[in-house]
């Protein structure tokens, strides 16, 4: 993987990670997390849990790309 490829992949992963977890955490602060959120069919806690899983997977991928060596 070239340096340019690595940088591009890292940018894409960071954009894909997004800020949904932080935004939901802020929006749900002080509210009952057991309540269903809108028409989503999920509780606020389930939504937060899903965002946390997404962040964990993306951050793992970021670490893997960062650890990958450059082509010579």
């Amino acid at each position: 993987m070239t340096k340019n490829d690595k940088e591009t992949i890292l940018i894409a992963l960071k954009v894909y990670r997004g800020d949904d977890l932080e935004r939901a955490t802020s929006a749900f602060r002080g509210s009952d997390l057991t309540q269903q959120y809108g028409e989503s069919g999920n509780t606020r806690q389930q939504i937060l849990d899903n965002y946390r899983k997404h962040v964990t997977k993306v951050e793992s991928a970021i670490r893997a790309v960062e650890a990958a060596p450059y082509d010579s």
Side-chain angles (χ1 to χ4, degrees):
M1 164 180 333
T2 67
K3 182 177 181 180
N4 189 48
D5 290 341
K6 192 171 187 176
E7 289 172 356
T8 301
I9 293 167
L10 288 171
I11 290 167
L13 284 169
K14 289 173 185 176
V15 170
Y16 178 59
R17 182 206 182 278
D19 64 353
D20 292 334
L21 175 60
E22 291 77 10
R23 291 165 55 95
T25 299
S26 178
F28 297 160
R29 186 168 288 124
S31 64
D32 181 0
L33 297 181
T34 63
Q35 287 183 338
Q36 179 176 319
Y37 182 70
E39 300 295 319
S40 69
N42 292 311
T43 65
R44 290 176 170 118
Q45 185 64 59
Q46 290 169 318
I47 290 168
L48 289 171
D49 291 345
N50 288 336
Y51 286 149
R52 281 189 190 100
K53 288 176 191 172
H54 170 75
V55 167
T56 298
K57 289 193 302 189
V58 174
E59 288 180 350
S60 175
I62 288 171
R63 286 190 300 276
V65 171
E66 287 174 338
Y70 294 123
D71 290 339
S72 44

